[in-house]
Short mmCIF file of all heavy atoms in Angstrom, two decimals:
data_model
loop_
_atom_site.label_atom_id
_atom_site.label_comp_id
_atom_site.label_asym_id
_atom_site.label_seq_id
_atom_site.Cartn_x
_atom_site.Cartn_y
_atom_site.Cartn_z
N SER A 666 164.06 -40.56 81.24
CA SER A 666 163.63 -41.88 81.65
C SER A 666 164.83 -42.73 82.05
O SER A 666 165.86 -42.69 81.40
CB SER A 666 162.89 -42.56 80.49
OG SER A 666 162.59 -43.90 80.83
N ASN A 736 239.26 -10.25 4.99
CA ASN A 736 239.57 -9.93 3.60
C ASN A 736 238.33 -9.54 2.78
O ASN A 736 238.34 -9.64 1.56
CB ASN A 736 240.26 -11.12 2.92
CG ASN A 736 239.38 -12.39 2.98
OD1 ASN A 736 238.24 -12.33 3.38
ND2 ASN A 736 239.97 -13.52 2.59
N VAL A 762 191.40 -5.87 33.16
CA VAL A 762 190.59 -7.05 32.84
C VAL A 762 190.96 -8.21 33.76
O VAL A 762 190.08 -8.90 34.31
CB VAL A 762 190.79 -7.44 31.36
CG1 VAL A 762 190.16 -8.80 31.08
CG2 VAL A 762 190.19 -6.38 30.43
N LEU A 792 171.59 -35.14 61.17
CA LEU A 792 172.25 -36.10 62.05
C LEU A 792 171.74 -35.97 63.47
O LEU A 792 171.50 -36.97 64.16
CB LEU A 792 173.77 -35.89 62.00
CG LEU A 792 174.60 -36.80 62.91
CD1 LEU A 792 174.45 -38.26 62.50
CD2 LEU A 792 176.07 -36.39 62.89
N ALA A 793 171.55 -34.73 63.92
CA ALA A 793 170.99 -34.51 65.26
C ALA A 793 169.60 -35.12 65.36
O ALA A 793 169.23 -35.75 66.37
CB ALA A 793 170.95 -33.02 65.57
N ASP A 806 162.45 -49.94 72.35
CA ASP A 806 162.80 -51.34 72.23
C ASP A 806 162.96 -51.98 73.60
O ASP A 806 162.54 -53.12 73.83
CB ASP A 806 164.08 -51.49 71.41
CG ASP A 806 164.40 -52.94 71.11
OD1 ASP A 806 163.50 -53.65 70.64
OD2 ASP A 806 165.56 -53.35 71.34
N LEU A 809 159.61 -52.35 75.05
CA LEU A 809 158.86 -53.36 74.31
C LEU A 809 159.22 -54.76 74.78
O LEU A 809 158.37 -55.66 74.81
CB LEU A 809 159.14 -53.22 72.82
CG LEU A 809 158.27 -54.07 71.89
CD1 LEU A 809 156.80 -53.77 72.08
CD2 LEU A 809 158.67 -53.84 70.44
N LYS A 832 151.26 -59.49 68.46
CA LYS A 832 151.47 -58.08 68.12
C LYS A 832 152.75 -57.55 68.75
O LYS A 832 153.51 -56.80 68.12
CB LYS A 832 150.28 -57.24 68.58
CG LYS A 832 149.06 -57.34 67.70
CD LYS A 832 147.97 -56.39 68.18
CE LYS A 832 146.76 -56.42 67.25
NZ LYS A 832 145.70 -55.50 67.71
N ILE A 871 180.86 -38.90 65.02
CA ILE A 871 180.46 -37.53 65.32
C ILE A 871 179.10 -37.56 66.00
O ILE A 871 178.16 -38.19 65.51
CB ILE A 871 180.38 -36.68 64.03
CG1 ILE A 871 181.76 -36.62 63.36
CG2 ILE A 871 179.87 -35.28 64.33
CD1 ILE A 871 181.75 -35.96 62.01
N ILE A 947 206.19 -0.06 12.92
CA ILE A 947 204.79 0.08 13.32
C ILE A 947 204.04 -1.16 12.86
O ILE A 947 204.09 -1.52 11.68
CB ILE A 947 204.15 1.35 12.73
CG1 ILE A 947 204.89 2.59 13.23
CG2 ILE A 947 202.68 1.41 13.10
CD1 ILE A 947 204.34 3.88 12.64
N LEU A 998 156.31 -23.86 65.26
CA LEU A 998 156.99 -24.39 66.44
C LEU A 998 156.36 -23.86 67.73
O LEU A 998 156.23 -24.59 68.72
CB LEU A 998 158.47 -24.01 66.38
CG LEU A 998 159.33 -24.80 65.38
CD1 LEU A 998 160.73 -24.20 65.30
CD2 LEU A 998 159.41 -26.26 65.75
N GLU A 1010 149.18 -34.10 75.49
CA GLU A 1010 149.59 -34.82 76.70
C GLU A 1010 148.49 -34.79 77.75
O GLU A 1010 148.24 -35.79 78.44
CB GLU A 1010 150.88 -34.23 77.23
CG GLU A 1010 152.09 -34.50 76.34
CD GLU A 1010 153.33 -33.80 76.82
OE1 GLU A 1010 153.20 -32.91 77.69
OE2 GLU A 1010 154.43 -34.13 76.34
#
Side-chain angles (χ1 to χ4, degrees):
S666 174
N736 58 8
V762 170
L792 178 64
D806 187 49
L809 189 58
K832 283 185 177 180
I871 299 173
I947 299 178
L998 286 173
E1010 292 175 346

